[in-house]
Amino acid sequence: MLFFETDRLILRPFELKDAQAVENLAKDKELARTTMHIPHPFPEGLAELWIERYNEKINKGSSYCFAIILKGTMELVGCVMLYVALNHKRGELAYWIGKDYWDNGFATEASRKMMEFAFEKLQLNRVWAAVMKKNIPSIEVMKKLGLQQEGTFTEHVLKWGKYEDVVYYGILKAQYEKQVQLNRSIASE
């Protein structure tokens, strides 16, 4: 079973026992407002179906969806995902954090580990991510990760009856490796 650790987090595949915690986090309207795919209201029972579907995809190697767990309390605080197109050697990074856990750097910490997995283990050439233009905190996460803005699709998604602009970010393996080397140099000084 895939399992990752960071300083403060454990990333592991979701288990059916996580369904209630997922529903509790995902039912928050403010969280749903910031994502392209979380519905509001969040239907009861959807979390179980979602967990089963993504665990099948992990087994196929087409997507990796991990629960973000706080080490100290073992609380589920969110999700980090990597959708993989192996034939193109690229992956789409996505994440969400429950509102009560915002502004703690958990999305950045979990996503950094997923990028390491994508480039070092899966040997992908590119990681990209999409975000609604209004989601400034998520854009800041992408910038901290070293992803570069690549373009904006105007009125690309319809969210709650309103068209939203979507901004695309990306990073190539060579750029990621350069960034890792720079961070190692800074850490050794």
Side-chain angles (χ1 to χ4, degrees):
M1 171 163 87
L2 286 173
F3 174 93
F4 303 102
E5 283 191 57
T6 68
D7 290 342
R8 302 177 297 163
L9 306 172
I10 295 169
L11 308 178
R12 62 155 172 82
F14 280 92
E15 300 169 359
L16 284 178
K17 69 179 183 177
D18 298 322
Q20 189 59 56
V22 169
E23 285 189 20
N24 291 343
L25 295 173
K27 71 182 180 184
D28 186 276
K29 186 175 184 178
E30 192 63 17
L31 172 63
R33 185 188 72 76
T34 66
T35 70
M36 288 186 270
H37 302 293
I38 295 178
H40 186 78
F42 194 85
E44 191 171 320
L46 179 60
E48 286 183 8
L49 296 172
W50 179 77
I51 289 168
E52 288 173 350
R53 186 175 81 218
Y54 276 98
N55 283 341
E56 288 173 14
K57 290 180 179 192
I58 286 175
N59 292 334
K60 293 177 184 174
S62 61
S63 289
Y64 299 89
C65 184
F66 295 100
I68 301 172
I69 309 292
L70 286 182
K71 278 185 179 176
T73 62
M74 299 308 286
E75 292 172 83
L76 189 148
V77 300
C79 171
V80 64
M81 296 171 266
L82 186 68
Y83 304 98
V84 178
L86 280 177
N87 56 328
H88 298 291
K89 304 289 276 177
R90 71 172 182 246
E92 178 187 3
L93 177 69
Y95 47 81
W96 58 263
I97 302 293
K99 186 179 178 192
D100 291 344
Y101 303 97
W102 288 359
D103 301 321
N104 288 293
F106 298 142
T108 304
E109 191 171 329
S111 295
R112 191 166 276 128
K113 183 55 80 171
M114 287 307 296
M115 287 178 52
E116 178 184 311
F117 173 62
F119 288 122
E120 296 178 19
K121 176 69 173 160
L122 297 178
Q123 294 295 307
L124 299 183
N125 181 58
R126 173 176 161 67
V127 170
W128 65 278
V131 60
M132 285 189 290
K133 188 176 183 177
K134 69 181 180 184
N135 190 346
I136 303 302
S138 190
I139 288 172
E140 291 304 313
V141 168
M142 291 178 195
K143 289 177 180 178
K144 288 177 192 173
L145 295 170
L147 280 75
Q148 301 295 313
Q149 183 176 340
E150 296 181 334
T152 300
F153 286 19
T154 305
E155 295 187 3
H156 192 62
V157 296
L158 183 62
K159 181 75 175 189
W160 299 348
K162 182 177 183 256
Y163 289 101
E164 300 286 349
D165 295 349
V166 176
V167 185
Y168 287 82
Y169 284 81
I171 188 169
L172 298 175
K173 184 175 184 174
Q175 295 166 318
Y176 167 81
E177 289 172 343
K178 193 178 285 186
Q179 183 179 303
V180 168
Q181 286 294 347
L182 179 63
N183 291 340
R184 286 184 185 146
S185 297
I186 291 169
S188 67
E189 291 178 356

